[in-house]
Amino acid sequence: MRSGEMWRLLSRFNSFRRTHVILQHLRMSKHTDAAEVLLERKGCAGVITLNRPKLLNTLTVGMIRQIYTQLKKWEQDPETFLIIIKGAGGKAFCAGGDIRAISEIGNKNQKILQDFFREEYMLNNYIASYRKPYVALIHGITMGGGVGVSVHGQFRVATEKSLFAMPETAIGLFPDVGGGYFLPRLQGKLGYFLGLTGFRLKGRDVYTAGIATHFVDSEKLDTLEEDLSALKAPSSENVADVLETYHTKSKIDRDKSFILEEHMDKINSCFSANTVEQIIENLRQDGSSFALEQLKVINKMSPTSLKITLRQLMEGSSKTLQEVLTMEYRLSQSCMRGHDFYEGVRARFSRVILVLQMSSNVWTHKLGRRSQKEFT
């Protein structure tokens, strides 16, 4: 066999092997890690580290149970004065729930599906009522379930690398984990816009929008954690003072305008309607490039999810968090009995796999052409 033919066979094998590895990573339900959550005491602080960096620290039911149980213990521990929660790997705080695993389980075991949502929402509610300072370092991607374990806490620290979004309408779901509570309480109709379109906020905009309570340079996070952990029997005021000091010193994008500032009048006007159909009509009548772009985005979303989300936000605007979470649990189980969610997840991961496979093939083709010249 000539060296050129050997190289072609080797290239195909390597391409197949890489694709197989990628698919293994995407099969989240089959991923197991004994240390998915790191729980440790550092000085006066109980530190929670979400430890699935290859999967952007997505939450599993096991992680939720570990966090809930440990928070209970720390709340009763007289030597633990505050909680710090963060994500491993630097790319994400937490990109959400493990939706691939959820979608696969849903068709086979409704009990596990019920447990996941119920226990996740119980954790969200517990964080909101926690009796000790709770500091979430939302550095990197923070979506869905990641928002749930951060936004309800007393302190949320964003960095220039933070990326916030509630993209659930794109996968046949709705912005849950208390989205029906905190989104309608953002300025104007901003929360409605974010919930319906899945628009992504980055960096200081996460703070300006009201998602984060403080903004800190990412290179200062380790020092911030050390300073918080070194406090002596701190109160919420002591923790707030430390965070405010770091926040005040941060100069990154300090003078930059909020990305949606010039569009807020349009957002408030177009998204104030009581029906999805009227919002779509408002955007069409507005006719600006911004409005038409949002119209394109909305038209790609699940129509059912859009209607559920709008009603969820309208109802949630006057409910307590506990009432909202009860409502969202019922909605989640209804969505799990439908087909939009499963189709949305399937389509999303099919696109990811296709892009990865195409990238792999292009890379292999280029490398093959170059290396064949060297081997022949």
Side-chain angles (χ1 to χ4, degrees):
M1 182 181 295
R2 293 189 305 172
S3 58
E5 293 174 339
M6 290 178 63
W7 175 252
R8 280 193 293 273
L9 288 173
L10 181 62
S11 296
R12 290 176 182 175
F13 173 75
N14 287 337
S15 177
F16 171 80
R17 185 173 60 182
R18 282 192 300 275
T19 302
H20 179 69
V21 170
I22 290 169
L23 292 175
Q24 282 185 317
H25 284 307
L26 289 172
R27 294 190 185 102
M28 298 178 183
S29 62
K30 296 178 177 58
H31 178 86
T32 57
D33 188 341
E36 290 180 333
V37 182
L38 304 179
L39 305 165
E40 51 191 331
R41 270 284 305 280
K42 293 183 179 179
C44 70
V47 180
I48 302 168
T49 304
L50 307 178
N51 193 37
R52 301 178 83 203
K54 291 182 179 180
L55 296 176
L56 302 179
N57 300 320
T58 49
L59 292 173
T60 65
V61 69
M63 295 168 72
I64 291 167
R65 288 169 177 168
Q66 289 182 66
I67 294 170
Y68 187 88
T69 300
Q70 190 61 54
L71 284 177
K72 284 282 189 182
K73 293 178 180 178
W74 278 335
E75 191 171 36
Q76 302 300 321
D77 179 13
E79 300 300 317
T80 303
F81 290 87
L82 72 137
I83 305 300
I84 299 172
I85 183 169
K86 61 182 181 178
K91 291 184 179 180
F93 166 68
C94 173
D98 197 337
I99 61 170
R100 182 63 182 268
I102 294 169
S103 68
E104 291 184 357
I105 290 171
N107 291 320
K108 303 170 185 176
N109 193 322
Q110 285 291 322
K111 177 64 167 58
I112 293 178
L113 206 57
Q114 292 168 1
D115 290 346
F116 179 90
F117 283 97
R118 183 178 63 255
E119 295 184 41
E120 182 180 27
Y121 296 172
M122 286 174 60
L123 176 60
N124 300 154
N125 187 64
Y126 185 42
I127 289 170
S129 60
Y130 206 66
R131 292 182 294 175
K132 295 181 178 181
Y134 183 96
V135 182
L137 305 180
I138 51 176
H139 172 65
I141 300 169
T142 305
M143 298 183 181
V147 177
V149 294
S150 59
V151 76
H152 303 299
Q154 187 175 5
F155 303 107
R156 291 92 63 190
V157 181
T159 74
E160 74 278 7
K161 296 182 181 180
S162 295
L163 189 158
F164 164 91
M166 297 295 281
E168 287 80 5
T169 55
I171 57 168
L173 203 56
F174 58 93
D176 63 335
V177 295
Y181 180 80
F182 77 86
L183 286 173
R185 287 165 173 78
L186 299 180
Q187 56 178 300
K189 292 296 179 179
L190 176 60
Y192 289 76
F193 168 74
L194 296 174
L196 290 167
T197 66
F199 186 88
R200 298 183 174 191
L201 294 174
K202 300 177 181 178
R204 193 175 283 269
D205 288 333
V206 178
Y207 164 75
T208 307
I211 304 299
T213 58
H214 297 82
F215 182 88
V216 173
D217 299 356
S218 61
E219 64 179 16
K220 301 291 186 182
L221 284 180
D222 289 343
T223 308
L224 170 62
E225 184 179 334
E226 291 174 3
D227 286 350
L228 289 172
S229 301
L231 292 171
K232 304 300 181 183
S235 63
S236 291
E237 289 74 19
N238 299 141
V239 173
D241 287 342
V242 173
L243 293 174
E244 189 61 30
T245 298
Y246 276 82
H247 174 81
T248 302
K249 290 180 179 179
S250 176
K251 296 181 180 180
I252 296 178
D253 294 333
R254 179 184 291 177
D255 300 322
K256 184 179 179 181
S257 298
F258 181 45
I259 190 172
L260 295 170
E261 183 175 338
E262 64 179 299
H263 305 300
M264 280 307 300
D265 287 343
K266 295 182 185 297
I267 289 173
N268 291 337
S269 175
C270 293
F271 287 82
S272 62
N274 293 328
T275 65
V276 173
E277 289 83 358
Q278 189 58 55
I279 289 175
I280 290 174
E281 183 59 27
N282 290 345
L283 291 169
R284 184 178 292 113
Q285 289 184 4
D286 181 278
S288 65
S289 58
F290 174 79
L292 294 179
E293 181 61 31
Q294 306 319 310
L295 188 59
K296 289 181 182 178
V297 171
I298 285 178
N299 284 334
K300 295 178 182 179
M301 303 303 185
S302 160
T304 303
S305 291
L306 290 172
K307 287 181 175 292
I308 290 173
T309 297
L310 181 57
R311 181 65 180 272
Q312 169 208 8
L313 300 180
M314 292 170 62
E315 293 286 334
S317 64
S318 59
K319 293 181 181 293
T320 66
L321 175 59
Q322 191 168 4
E323 290 172 337
V324 166
L325 290 170
T326 299
M327 172 183 70
E328 290 180 356
Y329 175 74
R330 293 167 180 164
L331 288 174
S332 73
Q333 298 311 296
S334 179
C335 287
M336 293 303 103
R337 290 191 292 269
H339 68 275
D340 279 24
F341 171 70
Y342 302 104
E343 176 58 25
V345 173
R346 185 204 62 77
R348 176 178 175 178
F349 278 89
S350 293
R351 286 194 296 271
V352 171
I353 292 169
L354 178 61
V355 170
L356 290 172
Q357 287 178 331
M358 290 176 65
S359 299
S360 176
N361 290 338
V362 169
W363 182 86
T364 302
H365 179 64
K366 289 181 178 179
L367 181 61
R369 286 191 302 175
R370 185 183 67 188
S371 300
Q372 281 184 46
K373 294 178 181 179
E374 298 173 359
F375 279 82
T376 56

